[in-house]
Amino acid sequence: MRVVSGIQPTGNLHLGNYLGAIRQWVAMQHQAESLFFLADLHALTVAIDPKELASNTIEMAATLLAAGIDPDKAILFNQARVPAHAELCWLLQGTARMGWLNRMTQWKDKAGKNREGASVGLFTYPVLQAADVLAYQATHVPVGDDQRQHLELARDIATKFNLDFGVELFTLPEPFISPAAPRVMSLRDGTAKMSKSDPSDASRINLIDSDDAIAQKLRKARTDAEPLPETMAALAERAEARNLVTIYAALAETGTDAVLAQYAGQGFGAFKPALADLAIAVLSPIRERLTRLLDDRAAVATVLEQGGERARGLAAPTLLAAQRAMGLQV
């Protein structure tokens, strides 16, 4: 089983990122051969600041390392260090079809009414996503609901290439269905996801936040005046309360029912300090490791280069085989 997954280098991560993809990656590296990459080539589909992209890539890599990604167990790298991603993407663009890409929901959402002004990369980046996984003969790809369509496209491209050139080259990747990640919502609005793009820093807990900042944000998190009930069903109409219980359960690696069994009947005056203590206990070691890693950015870059070298070795045979199938190599 070989798993491949990527994440955009967008700078500092927050609690929602950690409890979602990152913690699953940390567990996954012990279950399968794993390649995790910083999708810096994907970042080029929109306007960028080169210095900011370079800095964000190092910071994101340091965050993954601080959160528990072990470069001795998983291969951690950034796309740009492995030319096979871009080269295979170009080869696969001869196989992909305009109609397939036109149906991509994210293309429609991100381009909106300004399709004429959107970059070509924004339109074709699902082909690069296909190359990201097909280059390594990935058997499984972790996907959320928003990426299932892109994985299906990768399978379609792989199937058509194999048929067009009479080869059995590309493995058809399957979705990796891991335990459901918690849907972490804003601390200011329980109906909106926790997001870095939210203008209010109080809406999220950043992995670099101090202990005091974590405690203050949770203390001021929006809730209601009612005590906690005995069941999650009773929180169906209490979005902010449900969110805090979900966060507690995820941090404690337990179920929401167990949390409510402990705190049912208590108000948020008691629950919020307990949640803050738990969040600090889990996140402060990550922040401390991250701070140390960012004190030596060159060392983080070395990890990425070493990971890139390993990834290049894995991708090279597939790229060569694709070139030979197309008559580009003899």
Side-chain angles (χ1 to χ4, degrees):
M1 180 175 174
R2 178 177 288 172
V3 173
V4 177
S5 192
I7 188 170
Q8 289 258 18
T10 55
N12 294 324
L13 297 178
H14 55 69
L15 181 65
N17 303 131
Y18 172 69
L19 293 177
I22 296 175
R23 196 167 63 174
Q24 291 186 38
W25 282 12
V26 172
M28 199 179 301
Q29 68 185 341
H30 302 289
Q31 303 170 23
E33 183 180 9
S34 301
L35 293 92
F36 302 129
F37 64 87
L38 289 305
D40 49 0
L41 296 180
H42 284 291
L44 305 181
T45 59
V46 296
I48 59 150
D49 178 322
K51 291 183 179 179
E52 182 177 342
L53 176 59
S55 178
N56 285 348
T57 299
I58 293 297
E59 290 175 10
M60 182 71 79
T63 302
L64 295 175
L65 294 169
I69 296 297
D70 183 349
D72 290 330
K73 296 185 181 298
I75 299 176
L76 178 63
F77 64 102
N78 56 299
Q79 278 174 308
R81 295 180 187 272
V82 186
H85 285 249
E87 293 182 51
L88 185 58
C89 175
W90 181 254
L91 302 187
L92 296 179
Q93 287 191 88
T95 299
R97 290 294 178 260
M98 293 284 289
W100 298 353
L101 297 178
N102 266 318
R103 288 193 291 272
M104 293 294 104
T105 301
Q106 287 200 19
W107 157 247
K108 297 175 183 178
D109 291 344
K110 291 183 179 181
K113 296 181 179 179
N114 188 35
R115 294 191 182 187
E116 294 296 320
S119 73
V120 173
L122 188 62
F123 181 67
T124 64
Y125 86 92
V127 185
L128 178 57
Q129 284 188 318
D132 293 336
V133 299
L134 297 180
Y136 300 104
Q137 304 293 348
T139 61
H140 293 79
V141 179
V143 291
D145 289 337
D146 61 337
Q147 292 296 327
R148 286 181 181 273
Q149 190 183 34
H150 288 172
L151 183 59
E152 287 301 318
L153 175 67
R155 290 171 57 87
D156 289 343
I157 291 173
T159 298
K160 189 174 190 305
F161 187 100
N162 289 346
L163 289 172
D164 285 352
F165 297 101
V167 294
E168 295 183 1
L169 173 57
F170 292 121
T171 300
L172 302 188
E174 298 285 345
F176 184 91
I177 308 300
S178 55
R183 186 174 173 83
V184 179
M185 312 305 282
S186 165
L187 299 180
R188 308 303 299 163
D189 178 1
T191 65
K193 284 188 69 174
M194 186 176 287
S195 171
K196 183 185 175 184
S197 62
D198 192 312
S200 172
D201 189 61
S203 69
R204 60 188 170 270
I205 294 177
N206 305 301
L207 296 189
I208 60 170
D209 282 345
S210 67
D211 291 353
D212 286 344
I214 293 171
Q216 183 177 39
K217 287 179 179 181
L218 288 172
R219 185 170 61 249
K220 294 183 177 180
R222 181 177 295 175
T223 50
D224 54 47
E226 298 297 319
L228 287 169
E230 296 181 353
T231 67
M232 285 297 286
L235 290 177
E237 304 301 322
R238 298 170 61 187
E240 284 80 16
R242 186 173 64 250
N243 184 42
L244 295 189
V245 171
T246 298
I247 290 173
Y248 191 109
L251 287 169
E253 299 188 62
T254 188
T256 52
D257 288 345
V259 176
L260 291 177
Q262 181 177 356
Y263 290 98
Q266 298 186 44
F268 287 97
F271 185 75
K272 284 183 176 180
L275 175 57
D277 288 344
L278 176 60
I280 289 168
V282 173
L283 298 180
S284 61
I286 296 175
R287 182 188 65 240
E288 291 168 5
R289 289 193 294 268
L290 176 58
T291 300
R292 291 195 298 271
L293 286 163
L294 290 179
D295 284 339
D296 190 353
R297 290 174 176 245
V300 178
T302 297
V303 171
L304 292 178
E305 175 53 37
Q306 291 171 344
E309 183 177 1
R310 294 167 65 191
R312 289 192 294 273
L314 289 175
T318 298
L319 178 61
L320 179 59
Q323 292 169 334
R324 284 176 173 163
M326 303 177 80
L328 301 173
Q329 292 277 1
V330 295

